[in-house]
Amino acid sequence: MSTADLSRAETDAKHSFDRYAATFIELAAAGGTDPAPLLEYFAVPLTVATGSAHTVLTSAEQLTAGLAHELAALRDLDYGGSQALDPTVRVLNERAVTIEVSWARYDRSGAEFQRPRVFYFLARTAEGWRITTSAVLAG
């Protein structure tokens, strides 16, 4: 595994993640609840862990329902957008990258209402880079 290969993995995974984030923010800020544009960024099964639950989404239907639920919850909070703060990318190997980022979430008036820190595990699959795990970090 060369330094160039690791650098390429980091660049490609970060680019995929940035596209996911932009798509998610645009969709959620518009009040959308159809997660179809987001599905290509995730692998199934997808592991999700928060301080209150651990869930493994084992089908496309479960992934769709989970994302739709998250989008609806943001719409109900009058979500207006997010900003990624201090993202940290760590290349594990040519097929595995972690990204840890704090999300400053704003309502439509521009007031920050939430700042979760989230850990993402991305794997390079046959379909490209996919989020396989997300975990909301304590603190």
Side-chain angles (χ1 to χ4, degrees), residues 7-28:
S7 180
R8 172 81 187 236
E10 179 178 0
T11 299
D12 291 350
K14 181 75 168 72
H15 180 68
S16 177
F17 183 79
D18 290 346
R19 285 191 339 266
Y20 154 71
T23 302
F24 183 90
I25 292 166
E26 181 180 338
L27 180 62

Side-chain angles (χ1 to χ4, degrees), residues 77-81 83 104-114:
L77 291 169
D78 199 31
Y79 177 84
Q83 180 181 4
R105 290 183 169 171
Y106 304 97
D107 64 20
R108 291 190 180 284
S109 72
E112 184 176 325
F113 68 87
Q114 194 177 52

